[in-house]
Amino acid sequence: MTTRIFSGIKPTGHLTLGNYLGALRQWVTVDQHRADALFCVVDLHALTVDHDPARVRRLSRQVATLFLAAGLDPALCTLFVQSHVDEHTRLSYVLECTASDGEMRRMIQYKEKSAKERATGGSVRLSLLTYPVLMAADILAYGADEVPVGDDQAQHVELTRDLAVRFNQRYGHTFTVPKAVLPTVAARVMDLQDPTSKMGKSHADTSGIVYLLDEPDVARRKVMRAVTDSGSEVVHDREAQPGIANLLEILAACTGDGGPAELAARYSSYGALKKDTAEAVVETLRPIRERHARLCADPGYVDEVLRAGAERARGLARPTVDAAYEAIGLLPAR
C-alpha cells in the first residue's frame, strides 16, 4: 500500500534557505518519488495574525511558484492552495468539537505568539488559539500516513494524532493516525545574525535571513557577515559555537561533501569557512531563481497546476470528511 504524505508552508513571508534545506529539498528529492505526496500553500493559517490581504495573495502565488521552481513535479505529486479546498474548514469545526480548550492553550506557538501580540498592545485572534485544529484537519482529511515537519512543528502533529485517536474511539474508525517525520539533514537552519534562533521567514530583522530569491551578491554578503563566535578554532559545537556550527551545517547541506564535523577539520579560519559557505549557498539557490523567473513569465501554467491540484485534493478529502460528518452525528445531505 502506498504511503501518503501531507505537508505545507504558510505564505507569511518570502521563503528562506531554511525552508529549502529543512523541508522543500527533501520533498523534491525524496518524498514526491516514494509516496503519494500532497504539498499545500496553507494560506488560511496566514490569517491568524494581523496581515495585509494583498500581501497574503501575492505570497501565496510566490510560494506555489517556488514549490515548482524548487523541483516539485505536478506529475509526481499534488500541489494546491488550502483555501481552494473547502474540506479543510469543513473538517476543522468537527475537530474543534473533539479538541479541548486546555489542549489549545498548552500549544507552545500559541503561548509565544499570543504573548508577543499582547506585548505590542494587539488583540489575540481566536484563530491563533484554534489553528492547530485546522492544521490537524489539513492532515487528517487526506488520510496522511506521514507529515514531514521541522522539529518546531512536531507538537502539532502530536495533537493531530491525539485528535484522530480520540475521534476514532468515540465515533468509530474514521481517520488514519499519522506520524511526524523529521528531516535528517539541516532540520533547523538558524538565523545568521542570531544563531540561537531559527531562520524564520517573517522576522522583522532580515539581515541574517537568506531568501530563496535573493540576488547572488545579497546572499553572499549575508553569509559573509554572519555572526561567529569567540576564539578562532573551527569546530562543530552547537552549544559553544552556535554561529560556526550553523555555517558548517549549511555548508554540509548545500554541498553534500561530508558532515559538519568532518568539514570543520578542513578549515583553520572563520573567513575561509564563510567564503566557501557563501559560494555554496549562491550555487544552491541559482537554479531555483532561474526556474522561478521562467515560471513567472507563464502564470497560466501555475494557475493550471493549482486548479488541477485542488481538484484532485478535493476528491481525496471529501469521502473522509463526509464520513467524519456522519460519524459524529450530522445528517447527510441528499
Side-chain angles (χ1 to χ4, degrees):
M1 186 175 178
T2 302
T3 299
R4 181 167 291 166
I5 288 173
F6 177 93
S7 198
I9 293 179
K10 282 190 295 187
T12 51
H14 301 289
L15 295 192
T16 71
L17 179 67
N19 293 127
Y20 179 69
L21 296 180
L24 261 174
R25 187 172 64 174
Q26 179 166 309
W27 297 358
V28 168
T29 59
V30 178
D31 293 336
Q32 68 174 341
H33 299 283
R34 72 176 180 88
D36 179 11
L38 297 101
F39 300 114
C40 182
V41 181
V42 285
D43 54 343
L44 294 172
H45 293 295
L47 311 184
T48 59
V49 295
D50 191 33
H51 62 276
D52 173 13
R55 184 170 186 266
V56 171
R57 280 192 293 271
R58 186 170 64 251
L59 288 175
S60 295
R61 171 170 284 279
Q62 185 184 89
V63 170
T65 306
L66 281 169
F67 279 1
L68 293 165
L72 288 177
D73 184 348
L76 298 175
C77 62
T78 303
L79 303 177
F80 66 105
V81 175
Q82 179 190 29
S83 63
H84 295 177
V85 181
D86 293 344
E87 278 64 29
H88 291 253
T89 49
R90 285 183 63 210
L91 183 56
S92 182
Y93 181 74
V94 166
L95 293 178
E96 283 185 19
C97 297
T98 309
S100 72
D101 174 77
E103 283 176 312
M104 297 299 98
R105 295 188 186 280
R106 285 194 297 270
M107 302 301 288
I108 294 170
Q109 292 204 8
Y110 172 72
K111 291 180 179 179
E112 293 176 348
K113 291 182 180 180
S114 61
K116 183 178 178 181
E117 285 292 319
R118 292 188 182 99
T120 58
S123 60
V124 179
R125 299 184 183 193
L126 179 61
S127 57
L128 187 62
L129 179 66
T130 60
Y131 89 90
V133 178
L134 175 58
M135 185 180 293
D138 297 338
I139 298 164
L140 297 179
Y142 298 101
D145 303 289
E146 297 180 5
V147 187
V149 291
D151 53 6
D152 59 328
Q153 293 291 332
Q155 187 187 32
H156 288 139
V157 181
E158 282 306 308
L159 173 70
T160 301
R161 289 172 54 85
D162 291 343
L163 294 179
V165 169
R166 188 179 307 152
F167 191 99
N168 289 347
Q169 289 175 342
R170 288 180 181 174
Y171 307 113
H173 184 78
T174 307
F175 298 122
T176 299
V177 180
K179 65 178 180 179
V181 179
L182 302 179
T184 54
V185 179
R188 200 165 197 187
V189 178
M190 312 307 277
D191 190 296
L192 294 171
Q193 292 299 316
D194 179 10
T196 61
S197 299
K198 188 179 76 165
M199 185 180 284
K201 59 183 180 294
S202 53
H203 289 182
D205 181 1
T206 63
S207 59
I209 303 170
V210 176
Y211 296 104
L212 295 189
L213 296 179
D214 274 347
E215 294 288 338
D217 287 347
V218 173
R220 191 178 289 113
R221 185 164 58 249
K222 287 178 178 178
V223 177
M224 293 301 295
R225 292 177 178 175
V227 167
T228 50
D229 312 288
S230 59
S232 58
E233 187 180 4
V234 179
V235 295
H236 181 251
D237 186 333
R238 268 199 174 274
E239 295 299 320
Q241 291 191 313
I244 293 302
N246 190 37
L247 290 172
L248 287 166
E249 289 176 15
I250 291 171
L251 179 61
C254 286
T255 64
D257 188 23
E262 181 184 345
L263 289 173
R266 303 178 192 175
Y267 291 93
S268 58
S269 71
Y270 291 173
L273 171 61
K274 283 186 172 182
K275 185 175 183 297
D276 285 356
T277 304
E279 292 309 314
V281 167
V282 167
E283 289 309 308
T284 295
L285 299 186
R286 189 185 306 280
I288 298 173
R289 291 179 60 254
E290 291 174 353
R291 287 194 293 265
H292 179 267
R294 291 197 295 271
L295 288 162
C296 286
D298 187 10
Y301 172 73
V302 178
D303 288 340
E304 177 54 26
V305 167
L306 296 178
R307 186 204 62 75
E311 184 177 348
R312 179 171 188 267
R314 203 174 295 120
L316 291 174
R318 186 166 294 165
T320 299
V321 177
D322 285 349
Y325 267 49
E326 185 170 355
I328 204 169
L330 300 177
L331 190 67
R334 299 298 184 194

